[in-house]
Amino acid sequence: MWETGVSRGGKGSAGQAGGGRGPAVAAGGPAVPAQACDLVTVPARQGLEAVDILRLRDGVGPVLHDGACDTLGFLVPAGTADGWDVPGSACTQTSGRGLALGALCEEGTPAEPPVTGTGWLVPPEGAGAAATDPAVLRAALGEAARTIEAVDRCQ
């Protein structure tokens, strides 16, 4: 079992099985392919709820946390930005500008976050998927928004 935590890279990435000293792939976790990714950015509150939903059901790929902007970024397969239309979120094409999952994970070293000023909430080596499936993420974000709305009405 792995813990949730923000990792800023370096030794001992939080969220990784084995405390960050093992190979770049968690025991039983997926191999991290060399694939280009887009980045879906959402407010942290909705993103954290979606991460919980995805962990319980379909698996979540790597997730970045930007504390300064209070956002989470889900790595999704390249091309997702072309059809992304979820209100309250943005999907950025990386167009080969450095977000390739395979390049993030060199054998035996924790993955460094690819975006300056961010840390891993779910690092590639601890993720349940190589990248989050866009259709599954869309459903989880919708459920997260409805959950937050219900909680806010009760307060």
Side-chain angles (χ1 to χ4, degrees):
M1 188 59 81
W2 50 281
E3 301 173 7
T4 301
V6 174
S7 167
R8 298 248 178 233
K11 294 183 181 178
S13 287
Q16 177 181 338
R21 290 179 288 281
V25 177
V32 180
Q35 74 179 59
C37 292
D38 287 350
L39 187 69
V40 172
T41 307
V42 299
R45 185 176 180 202
Q46 182 181 14
L48 290 169
E49 190 69 37
V51 166
D52 286 343
I53 291 165
L54 291 167
R55 280 190 173 157
L56 291 171
R57 298 189 185 144
D58 301 304
V60 63
V63 180
L64 290 165
H65 176 253
D66 184 340
C69 294
D70 201 26
T71 60
L72 292 186
F74 292 82
L75 273 63
V76 295
T80 300
D82 294 336
W84 192 258
D85 61 352
V86 177
S89 70
C91 189
T92 306
Q93 292 178 329
T94 61
S95 303
R97 291 187 306 242
L99 277 180
L101 285 179
L104 296 178
C105 296
E106 295 180 25
E107 187 67 29
T109 58
E112 290 290 330
V115 180
T116 302
T118 65
W120 290 114
L121 179 69
V122 180
E125 63 270 14
T132 303
D133 179 279
V136 172
L137 178 57
R138 181 184 310 271
L141 289 172
E143 185 175 341
R146 290 186 299 276
T147 300
I148 291 167
E149 184 179 325
V151 167
D152 287 350
R153 278 195 312 259
C154 293
Q155 293 180 354

